[in-house]
């Protein structure tokens, strides 16, 4: 799950749809917003596409405030303090470690440095040099290396392997500094995928996480990638892993939504008609995710991740009212699957949002009925 840390230029065409949805080879026909029949997402109070925040799936004002300080002053201490005050085994710590690492990686990409220029992300290097025993800094550094490997190298190449092996060492150092912390091992899940750990070795790593945080949603999502068909498992193994997690999920846990993520990871490359999204396997996974979000704590840091994926599936399966119900809860932030897989997450989210509005209005919905 990587978090993007720069608002992309978003002067893009907005989409709105005819209230009467017409199928052409399984796709919904789109019309220009000036068309008299066009549905307008702005009528629902949705954030304009150019103002959507692509950095995070949902709000974390403390993180944004600290990141602003760090990037403007290049002083790491606010980041160190924030992580020190964040629950070790919680979802929020993992998300914040990813965020700081992503910020440093993007800074370095934008300012690689030179003879007369300080490279971006210098604050992270200073953090590690001045506070080598700071567990938060060690975890951010390990995640930074992982992100650098995926951003700058190709899996299977020597460069990729070298960076990933350095990341593995950094994970070990971070784990020694905070023995009960699952985050260094969660970071290593991505290393395991990149370096193709044998399954017994991966399972040993996974047991270390379960010992520390058995219902950690972020850890389960990171582990799911390893078991997917496109990496080192199969569709059956990924489904089995996700369904087992959902089966043992306690009341209120978002792990009940894991099968929906497994379905998403194995969608065919081609565009599919609505009948696929209304199939039994998709419907069952969607129902599990809906149950999860409705029973979860409303301050669960992973709630927005599940809601964003639900928007994708609910729109695809033409469950317009339910899609709108999720949209009003996540609108404004789009730094989550599936939007982050697009070159322009804001535009991708805005398209699905427009589809939802059009479908909702085509079936008699309106801003008044949505909020009634």
């Amino acid at each position: 799950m990587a978090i993007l840390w720069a608002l992309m230029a978003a002067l893009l065409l907005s989409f709105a749809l005819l209230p009467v949805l017409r199928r052409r080879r399984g796709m919904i026909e789109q019309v220009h917003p000036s068309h008299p029949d066009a549905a307008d997402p702005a009528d629902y109070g949705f954030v304009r596409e150019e103002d959507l925040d692509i950095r995070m799936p949902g709000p974390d004002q403390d993180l944004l405030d600290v990141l602003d300080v760090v990037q403007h002053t290049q002083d790491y201490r606010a980041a160190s303090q924030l992580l020190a005050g964040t629950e070790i085994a919680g979802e929020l710590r993992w998300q914040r470690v990813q965020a700081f690492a992503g910020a440093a990686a993007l800074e370095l990409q934008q300012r690689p440095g030179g003879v007369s220029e300080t490279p971006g992300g210098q604050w992270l290097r200073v953090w590690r040099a001045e506070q080598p025993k700071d567990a938060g800094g060690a975890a951010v550094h390990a995640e930074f290396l992982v992100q650098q490997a995926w951003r700058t190298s190709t899996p299977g190449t020597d460069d990729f392997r070298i960076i990933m092996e350095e990341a593995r060492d950094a994970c070990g150092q971070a784990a020694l500094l905070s023995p009960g912390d699952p985050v260094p091992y969660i970071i290593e899940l991505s290393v395991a995928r990149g370096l193709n750990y044998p399954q017994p070795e991966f399972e040993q790593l996974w047991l270390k996480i379960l010992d520390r945080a058995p219902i950690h949603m972020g850890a389960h999502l990171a582990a799911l990638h390893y078991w997917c068909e496109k990496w080192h498992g199969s569709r059956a193994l990924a489904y089995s892993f996700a369904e087992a997690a959902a089966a043992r999920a306690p009341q209120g846990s978002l792990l009940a939504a894991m099968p929906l993520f497994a379905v998403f990871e194995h969608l065919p490359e081609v565009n599919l008609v609505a009948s696929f999204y209304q199939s039994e396997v998709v419907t069952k996974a969607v129902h599990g995710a809906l149950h999860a979000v409705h029973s979860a704590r409303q301050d669960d840091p992973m709630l927005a991740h599940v809601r964003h994926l639900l928007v994708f599936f609910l729109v695809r399966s033409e469950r317009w009212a339910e899609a709108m119900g999720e949209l009003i809860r996540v609108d404004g932030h789009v730094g989550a699957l599936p939007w982050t897989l697009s070159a322009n997450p804001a535009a991708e989210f805005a398209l699905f949002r427009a589809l939802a509005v059009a479908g909702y209005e085509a079936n008699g919905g309106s801003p008044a009925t949505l909020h009634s």
Side-chain angles (χ1 to χ4, degrees):
M1 277 186 318
I3 301 177
L4 303 175
W5 281 105
L7 290 173
M8 299 177 180
L11 300 176
L12 301 162
L13 181 65
S14 297
F15 288 95
L17 289 303
L18 283 170
V20 179
L21 301 177
R22 298 194 295 257
R23 287 286 177 179
R24 287 190 178 178
R25 296 183 182 179
M27 299 300 291
I28 300 176
E29 184 173 307
Q30 301 163 4
V31 297
H32 192 274
S34 63
H35 192 287
D37 289 329
D40 187 358
D43 292 342
Y44 295 83
F46 289 139
V47 175
R48 294 183 303 174
E49 181 183 322
E50 59 267 31
D51 294 328
L52 291 168
D53 191 329
I54 65 173
R55 296 171 295 179
M56 297 185 298
D60 183 349
Q61 194 59 49
D62 288 343
L63 173 62
L64 290 179
D65 291 344
V66 167
L67 187 68
D68 185 62
V69 169
V70 169
Q71 293 188 309
H72 278 84
T73 66
Q74 290 296 295
D75 188 334
Y76 66 86
R77 286 176 292 183
S80 176
Q81 292 169 3
L82 182 65
L83 287 181
T86 305
E87 181 189 1
I88 284 181
E91 304 281 357
L92 200 58
R93 180 179 172 84
W94 167 229
Q95 292 190 20
R96 287 173 172 176
V97 165
Q98 286 183 297
F100 287 128
L106 190 60
E107 281 186 36
L108 182 59
Q109 179 182 329
Q110 294 172 337
R111 300 195 314 276
V115 176
S116 60
E117 182 185 42
T118 300
Q122 180 68 16
W123 53 268
L124 178 55
R125 287 181 283 277
V126 173
W127 188 356
R128 292 297 295 131
E130 293 186 354
Q131 299 290 339
K133 295 186 178 180
D134 185 326
V140 172
H141 179 239
E143 173 65 15
F144 168 81
L145 291 170
V146 167
Q147 292 195 27
Q148 279 294 94
W150 292 111
R151 286 170 183 261
T152 64
S153 305
T154 302
T157 64
D158 287 343
D159 286 346
F160 182 85
R161 178 182 54 77
I162 289 169
I163 300 173
M164 276 298 189
E165 288 180 348
E166 184 180 356
R168 178 167 57 187
D169 291 341
C171 288
Q173 295 169 19
L176 289 174
L177 291 171
S178 185
D181 189 348
V183 169
Y185 299 104
I186 298 173
I187 298 170
E188 192 179 348
L189 291 173
S190 187
V191 176
R193 178 162 53 96
L195 293 181
N196 192 14
Y197 281 21
Q199 287 189 7
E201 185 177 354
F202 183 88
E203 288 168 349
Q204 287 299 312
L205 171 62
W206 181 239
L207 286 175
K208 294 177 182 178
I209 295 171
L210 291 182
D211 286 344
R212 291 162 175 80
I215 59 171
H216 197 290
M217 180 72 172
H220 280 77
L221 291 177
L224 177 64
H225 290 298
Y226 178 91
W227 295 113
C228 286
E229 191 173 64
K230 59 188 173 185
W231 287 105
H232 310 302
S234 65
R235 181 189 300 264
L237 286 171
Y239 279 25
S240 176
F241 175 80
E243 289 164 1
R248 67 172 181 270
Q251 178 65 24
S253 169
L254 288 168
L255 288 178
M258 283 297 299
L260 189 63
F261 286 87
V263 170
F264 178 77
E265 291 294 337
H266 292 87
L267 291 177
E269 294 291 334
V270 297
N271 289 323
L272 298 173
V273 296
S275 59
F276 169 80
Y277 291 94
Q278 295 163 358
S279 64
E280 182 180 357
V281 64
V282 173
T283 299
K284 182 180 178 182
V286 167
H287 285 169
L290 285 169
H291 172 75
V293 300
H294 293 155
S295 61
R297 296 188 344 262
Q298 292 310 295
D299 62 347
D300 191 314
M302 294 300 295
L303 188 57
H305 287 272
V306 182
R307 289 195 187 280
H308 278 289
L309 196 62
L310 271 170
V311 169
F312 173 87
F313 278 98
L314 291 169
V315 168
R316 287 284 193 170
S317 56
E318 301 181 358
R319 295 168 63 166
W320 312 116
E322 290 167 295
M324 293 293 286
E326 301 305 323
L327 278 166
I328 62 175
R329 292 172 172 84
V330 296
D331 189 69
H333 296 83
V334 297
L337 286 175
W339 327 120
T340 51
L341 296 179
S342 168
N344 194 313
E348 187 75 3
F349 175 83
L351 171 60
F352 273 75
R353 188 176 64 185
L355 288 166
V357 170
Y360 183 63
E361 294 191 353
N363 287 276
S366 70
T369 58
L370 181 62
H371 296 287
S372 62

